[in-house]
Amino acid sequence: MKWMRAWAILAAVALLTLALPFVQAAADTGRVTRAYVDAGWGQIHFYKSEPVAKTDAPPLILFHENPASGIQYTNLMQRLGKTRLVIAPDTPGYGSSDGPKQPVSMEEYARALMQALRAAGIEPGTKFDVFGFHTGSLLAATFAALYPNDVRRMIVSGVPLRTEEDRAQRLAALKRAETALDLPQWFAQIWDRIVVKGPGDLDAERRVQLAIETLKPMQRRWMAYDAVYRVDIAALFARVRQPSLVMLIYDGLQEKTKGVAQYLSDGRIVDLPKVNRIPFDRAPDEVSAAMLKFLDEPLAAR
Amino acid sequence: MIFRPAVFLLAAALLSIGDDATALDQASVKRGYAEGPYGFVHYYEAKPETAGASVPLILFHENPTSGRGYSEILSYLGTKRRAIAIDMPGYGRSDPPPGPVSYEEYAVAIMTALRNAGIGSEQKIDVLGHHGGALLATEFAVRFPTQVRRVILSGIPYRLAETKTIEPSNRNEKPEDSEAWFDALWARAFSAKPDSVSADDIASIVVETMLPMQRRWYASATAPAYDLPANLRRIRQPVLVLLMHESLYENSKRALTEMPTARALEAPEARSFGYIDAAAPLAKTIAAFLDSPTP
């Protein structure tokens, strides 16, 4: 939140001096705003960053991991938003987005999010790029397969490629009966993982913020996992025809992630061996540079 | 403008019609953001499908929670008027000021955001505030006397320091203190939970209260500096004081001594979580006051 505070101060100073041109120049350096649109099961909340100057670069949509929210991308967006419109929606039921009352499929999540993108101003005929991390990688691939004429390029990282048996076991073990009363136990776990044992080079305020963000879905935080475990990832990735980048981030899922490249018809791998946990806050420069290199380069037809 | 210089104590007459109230229509509650001087101000809003002539009502929450606690009552109030419950800057999902600011500054910041949410300077508004929110409602009435039409106050923290030891706000709190805060808050909220309020609602209040993190003391630190008695005396608009049977019942009653023309209503059904579990009857009482002809 430090950058937000810095922004508030900067904006206040600028307004006081009525230096309007200064405000606009400042807005170009990647301010991240937030908004709601009517979509899905009520409202969908999203983070947005865009350059002031008109750009030809296709918009980029970022799908988050669960049970986090689009907030995990705010630092990354300050960089990416300098050259293109970037939107990071909160998956329905997570962050500040309304969610379904019963589990839905990954395709249903994708359709709701497409509805949100339309409401947020991404018009039919506009090609856009997608990026997804962990659960978000399945959303990105579902988007690419479902909307082949809208999605131009795809980047995925932390893809939870699992055997059918593993998925079935996880689906059976999913704690569906959770109630609000289970929240303290959850908070203790997430606190231990992100705040106590979290990387020390990430400031405490951000770690705490990320931990608290996972409380928002409350007792329904398990719901998107139901969709995740039902996805046949090999089959899904085989349906993706767009130029794709598989990004290896060393947070434990890098080997599984590497495995999905074989199913892609136009896939390539980028290896980021120095990037590991909470990558979008701890290595936003490396991650955004790798993303932009792929998104902005001309690709030979295969 | 002039109300009978007596305090009405219509015990429960209006408030106990709970069964009847369940038949009330409910509007959908949506969330939105408006820009203010400290960044975004987040709000909850309900409104009728067709814009009516009713004056919009702005609701201010207690600290350190958020406007979410008003969701239920907004759904009732929103059938006839635009009803907006804001998250105070630094609370709920609103961006924080750079440091603790006075209630006067909070009021100015929120008014700026309301302008950006489409409440023009010519638009009359009504205000409602509970606990710390009562300070904001009071400040709105005094600072914007031509724009604010009517005022509703409940749980008025009147001369709070005389009746209760105010915990020193912890200015040195760190983000990492949030875990201890969660545990304490959870225990306190659930020990006060009446059967009529669901565990989901209580948990949701706890989650909302976690969002300000180490800045949760800002508003409570500046509240004592706000001259509530003097400002209550300055209110010229019609005032309704809802005497809810919760921790600040006596303080609210004593506050009436500063507002001889205020109307007061006993609201015994509305206890600590009154805006949640007594939302329907409270909405009826509030609407009756707001819609009553100017005497």
Side-chain angles (χ1 to χ4, degrees):
Chain A
M1 290 291 274
K2 263 185 184 155
W3 60 271
M4 284 177 116
R5 202 180 335 165
W7 264 108
I9 296 166
L10 188 58
V13 170
L15 284 172
L16 282 173
T17 55
L18 295 173
L20 196 59
F22 175 68
V23 177
Q24 288 182 342
D28 212 3
T29 59
R31 184 189 181 202
V32 180
T33 61
R34 325 192 278 286
Y36 290 97
V37 287
D38 291 345
W41 294 268
Q43 287 178 293
I44 288 183
H45 180 260
F46 62 94
Y47 296 80
K48 175 179 166 180
S49 181
E50 63 185 329
V52 168
K54 201 176 163 348
T55 171
D56 291 332
L60 171 61
I61 318 302
L62 311 174
F63 298 109
H64 64 82
E65 65 184 305
N66 283 336
S69 80
I71 206 169
Q72 75 176 142
Y73 290 125
T74 51
N75 278 321
L76 190 70
M77 291 173 80
Q78 289 177 64
R79 289 152 175 85
L80 299 169
K82 287 177 185 174
T83 53
R84 68 205 67 225
L85 167 65
V86 185
I87 291 178
D90 291 350
T91 302
Y94 296 84
S96 298
S97 290
D98 293 321
K101 295 275 180 278
Q102 300 297 326
V104 297
S105 69
M106 199 58 75
E107 235 179 76
E108 285 171 281
Y109 278 121
R111 288 185 196 281
L113 287 163
M114 186 57 155
Q115 205 185 356
L117 294 181
R118 291 281 181 252
I122 306 274
E123 301 198 356
T126 305
K127 295 248 184 202
F128 56 85
D129 298 324
V130 293
F131 170 83
F133 187 60
H134 290 211
T135 298
S137 70
L138 303 189
L139 269 174
T142 304
F143 252 75
L146 206 53
Y147 305 110
N149 300 322
D150 298 279
V151 175
R152 189 191 66 130
R153 294 183 189 182
M154 175 185 91
I155 310 175
V156 289
S157 186
V159 186
L161 182 63
R162 296 192 173 97
T163 63
E164 201 174 334
E165 192 188 358
D166 186 2
R167 289 194 288 120
Q169 278 173 5
R170 286 169 187 265
L171 201 55
L174 200 56
K175 292 178 189 160
R176 295 154 193 277
E178 283 203 332
T179 71
L181 297 177
D182 295 311
L183 222 52
Q185 197 193 348
W186 164 253
F187 192 52
Q189 277 174 29
I190 198 86
W191 185 271
D192 187 60
R193 178 142 51 95
I194 301 184
V195 182
V196 179
K197 295 182 186 140
D201 57 357
L202 180 61
D203 72 83
E205 181 169 345
R206 180 65 167 171
R207 277 185 279 153
V208 170
Q209 184 185 39
L210 294 173
I212 289 175
E213 192 69 11
T214 68
L215 290 173
K216 285 181 180 170
M218 303 224 301
Q219 69 276 21
R220 282 200 275 270
R221 70 189 147 77
W222 59 271
M223 219 172 260
Y225 295 103
D226 183 276
V228 169
Y229 300 145
R230 289 176 196 277
V231 174
D232 178 346
I233 293 180
L236 171 64
F237 277 65
R239 285 168 63 202
V240 175
R241 295 277 167 246
Q242 292 91 335
S244 302
L245 179 70
V246 175
M247 183 182 281
L248 303 184
I249 286 175
Y250 287 70
D251 66 344
L253 278 179
Q254 64 273 15
E255 287 307 320
K256 286 186 167 63
T257 302
K258 206 171 177 176
V260 299
Q262 63 182 306
Y263 303 113
L264 290 165
S265 55
D266 187 2
R268 55 197 59 61
I269 291 175
V270 61
D271 195 17
L272 302 179
K274 287 182 191 158
V275 179
N276 46 63
R277 293 182 62 197
I278 319 187
F280 312 111
D281 286 304
R282 296 175 60 232
D285 290 328
E286 291 91 324
V287 174
S288 61
M291 288 171 76
L292 292 176
K293 184 172 181 297
F294 167 70
L295 294 177
D296 292 343
E297 74 185 353
L299 294 180
R302 292 202 180 188
Chain B
M1 284 285 277
I2 301 159
F3 273 66
R4 246 197 283 166
V7 171
F8 292 71
L9 294 174
L10 301 176
L14 283 167
L15 295 170
S16 61
I17 324 171
D19 289 340
D20 181 28
T22 56
L24 285 179
D25 286 342
Q26 283 179 273
S28 69
V29 178
K30 291 191 171 183
R31 290 98 67 202
Y33 291 106
E35 290 249 35
Y38 309 127
F40 282 115
V41 170
H42 182 262
Y43 58 85
Y44 298 79
E45 176 181 24
K47 58 185 172 186
E49 279 174 23
T50 51
S54 292
V55 172
L57 173 66
I58 317 299
L59 299 91
F60 302 114
H61 62 81
E62 63 185 303
N63 297 318
T65 64
S66 77
R68 190 180 179 126
Y70 286 128
S71 297
E72 188 69 13
I73 200 162
L74 283 179
S75 70
Y76 294 113
L77 293 167
T79 56
K80 283 213 181 110
R81 73 201 75 235
R82 190 175 181 196
I84 301 175
I86 60 102
D87 284 355
M88 258 179 94
Y91 295 86
R93 288 158 174 81
S94 289
D95 290 329
V101 297
S102 67
Y103 268 78
E104 288 84 346
E105 290 168 290
Y106 277 124
V108 169
I110 291 164
M111 186 54 108
T112 303
L114 288 174
R115 293 262 183 280
N116 290 326
I119 303 283
S121 57
E122 302 297 311
Q123 170 72 61
K124 295 273 184 204
I125 54 171
D126 296 325
V127 293
L128 177 152
H130 183 65
H131 286 210
L135 305 191
L136 270 177
T138 300
E139 181 59 21
F140 255 69
V142 171
R143 181 169 288 268
F144 310 110
T146 56
Q147 197 169 356
V148 174
R149 191 191 66 129
R150 293 185 185 185
V151 182
I152 300 169
L153 304 173
S154 65
I156 308 172
Y158 180 74
R159 301 204 186 282
L160 193 58
E162 293 171 18
T163 57
K164 180 187 166 193
T165 310
I166 302 172
E167 288 169 37
S169 54
N170 190 353
R171 287 166 188 274
N172 299 318
E173 208 163 79
K174 298 192 292 292
E176 299 92 313
D177 296 324
S178 291
E179 192 193 24
W181 170 250
F182 178 90
D183 292 341
L185 195 63
W186 187 273
R188 182 146 43 98
F190 274 88
S191 72
K193 175 190 166 314
D195 290 342
S196 49
V197 178
S198 71
D200 284 8
D201 278 333
I202 300 287
S204 140
I205 291 168
V206 173
V207 171
E208 289 294 304
T209 308
M210 293 302 290
L211 301 178
M213 302 206 296
Q214 74 280 10
R215 295 183 197 87
R216 69 181 70 90
W217 56 272
Y218 281 12
S220 58
T222 59
Y226 187 72
D227 192 347
L228 184 60
N231 283 308
L232 290 175
R233 287 196 293 276
R234 288 189 193 115
I235 300 179
R236 293 289 167 263
Q237 296 91 334
V239 178
L240 171 68
V241 175
L242 290 170
L243 294 168
M244 293 169 54
H245 287 208
E246 46 91 56
S247 61
L248 294 180
Y249 174 80
E250 289 300 330
N251 301 71
S252 301
K253 258 184 127 162
R254 290 178 63 205
L256 289 167
T257 58
E258 309 286 4
M259 300 176 285
T261 62
R263 180 183 296 195
L265 279 179
E266 284 282 346
E269 287 193 353
R271 294 181 291 269
S272 285
F273 300 96
Y275 284 101
I276 296 173
D277 64 353
L282 279 179
K284 261 190 135 170
T285 306
I286 289 164
F289 169 71
L290 296 179
D291 295 340
S292 64
T294 307

